[in-house]
Amino acid sequence: MDENLRAFLYDYNEDERLYLDYYKYTKAGRTYAELIEDMGGDYNYYIKRITPDKEGGFLPTVISDTNFFCGQDSNNIVITKHNRYTPVFEHEHQLFEMIYVLEGSCLQHINHTDITLTEGQFCLVAPNSVHSISVFDDSIILNILIRQSTFEDIFYNLLRQTNAISTFFNNNLYTNNKNTYLLIDSNKDPYIREHVLGMLQEYNERQKYYGDVLSGSIMVLFAKLLQGYEQNITFSATIAKDSGNFPNILTYISNNYRTVSLQSLAEHFHFSQGYCSRLIKNNTGKSFTELLQNIRFKMAMFFLSNTNKSVAQISNDIGFKNVEHFNRLFKKKQGMTPGEYRKSNNLAL
């Protein structure tokens, strides 16, 4: 392991030293204010750290993408070490978070459920899930944060397959049956460990094109986890029991969004159109037409952001026969025309 990376992981940083002192003070029945007083420090300096028992202290409950992703930075992946001894605080965020136990263990509390993670295990937490993490020893825990706003750009191919990870993501993107978390046990796989460490080093060094490297690396990570450990993947208990064949139906619609109709969908799965409609409505709260339109417009945004295809060509490619109709619906949904959306993503027509 690179010496700089080793130091980053194992040496106590400034925040960790403060949190360790605070942990010792709480064990002795003393307060955060007493810690500051005894250390003779500047309160304005300490207030920037997590301070659960200090009035006016920093204790975020809702964390947005902007807390982690700089507006001038094109990367979509952030990898950090979870600071040991950080006071426990419940929060939620707009992004997908993947917790990986490099060494030791940690306690996750997600939507009133306690989960102990041990070495080699991952926990993938969905957006808007209330959770906290406890690390009160020398365990090394890594957080991989994935920006939700560009999520489908990264996972374009994965989302159109049928597997446990794509089911988790698609449920959170399209349905009412949101899984709050997904657990993956890699059995302490050394390749997985080295791959994650390589991602961390890439992020820390931030050389040119590092964002592209990380986007590719996260796809390799998920592919290797599916390849070797799909049988070790478990969902949270929140998925609806009556979802039936819906994950396969959603994948089929995603793969055939250009031409699929309710009739062709029903015929493919040997269901009646009425049953298909009810299954979609029960799982997404939307009609077949609304769901299909959502998928088509997500694809339109992907093509507008990542290709130089004309608006007319994109309209045709996603299944609209009339470009004017596509333009009207897009503006109604996004508050801007396709051309304006493309310009806002820094691509020329």
Side-chain angles (χ1 to χ4, degrees), residues 63-326:
I63 303 175
S64 68
D65 283 9
T66 55
N67 290 97
F68 298 102
F69 298 97
C70 173
Q72 302 299 318
D73 199 341
S74 61
N75 72 299
N76 299 305
I77 310 291
V78 166
I79 307 179
T80 65
K81 178 183 74 171
H82 181 85
N83 284 330
R84 292 161 289 190
Y85 293 95
T86 299
V88 178
F89 68 104
E90 289 196 334
H91 61 282
E92 59 182 282
H93 36 60
Q94 300 167 344
L95 45 80
F96 284 93
E97 179 177 6
M98 195 171 191
I99 296 98
Y100 174 60
V101 182
L102 185 73
E103 293 181 12
S105 64
C106 68
L107 177 67
Q108 283 282 331
H109 184 76
I110 308 176
N111 289 354
H112 311 296
T113 301
D114 286 332
I115 305 160
T116 299
L117 300 177
T118 57
E119 185 175 334
Q121 293 184 329
F122 293 84
C123 180
L124 185 54
V125 182
N128 305 313
S129 299
V130 178
H131 71 115
S132 65
I133 181 170
S134 303
V135 184
F136 294 106
D137 55 24
D138 286 334
S139 296
I140 305 296
I141 312 300
L142 300 180
N143 296 325
I144 304 173
L145 311 175
I146 308 168
R147 190 201 300 258
Q148 188 182 11
S149 59
T150 54
F151 182 81
E152 289 182 279
D153 292 1
I154 306 172
F155 296 99
Y156 173 77
N157 291 320
L158 178 65
L159 294 174
R160 275 140 194 88
Q161 300 178 36
T162 303
N163 56 60
I165 293 176
S166 66
T167 295
F168 174 82
F169 287 139
N170 279 322
N171 276 347
N172 281 285
L173 290 170
Y174 295 115
T175 80
N176 295 326
N177 303 322
K178 299 185 185 302
N179 294 110
T180 54
Y181 63 87
L182 177 149
L183 302 175
I184 310 172
D185 189 349
S186 70
N187 290 340
K188 302 181 184 179
D189 188 316
Y191 173 87
I192 298 294
R193 174 190 169 89
E194 290 305 311
H195 186 78
V196 174
L197 286 174
M199 292 175 63
L200 176 61
Q201 185 161 349
E202 187 73 41
Y203 180 77
N204 284 351
E205 294 177 353
R206 304 192 195 188
Q207 298 181 20
K208 190 177 182 181
Y209 304 119
Y210 83 97
D212 297 315
V213 173
L214 289 175
S215 293
S217 296
I218 194 73
M219 280 303 304
V220 172
L221 175 60
F222 282 130
K224 295 301 291 186
L225 287 171
L226 285 168
Q227 189 178 65
Y229 304 102
E230 187 169 13
Q231 73 280 3
N232 292 354
I233 297 176
T234 56
F235 292 98
S236 59
T238 56
I239 191 167
K241 295 180 180 179
D242 60 349
S243 60
N245 206 32
F246 184 73
N248 292 329
I249 287 176
L250 185 56
T251 300
Y252 184 83
I253 297 173
S254 296
N255 285 332
N256 297 277
Y257 62 88
R258 298 173 184 86
T259 59
V260 68
S261 65
L262 182 60
Q263 179 179 347
S264 65
L265 178 69
E267 289 175 353
H268 178 82
F269 287 97
H270 307 290
F271 295 149
S272 70
Q273 292 186 44
Y275 179 77
C276 276
S277 292
R278 289 192 297 275
L279 197 57
I280 292 169
K281 188 72 172 181
N282 289 341
N283 281 275
T284 69
K286 299 178 178 64
S287 68
F288 166 79
T289 301
E290 290 169 331
L291 175 61
L292 177 60
Q293 195 173 94
N294 281 356
I295 293 173
R296 283 177 170 175
F297 277 102
K298 285 182 182 294
M299 293 310 306
M301 289 185 283
F302 174 83
F303 290 133
L304 287 166
S305 299
N306 294 278
T307 75
N308 288 316
K309 291 182 177 182
S310 69
V311 172
Q313 186 177 356
I314 291 172
S315 171
N316 182 70
D317 286 350
I318 66 171
F320 283 87
K321 296 179 180 179
N322 185 298
V323 67
E324 287 78 15
H325 181 55
F326 165 71

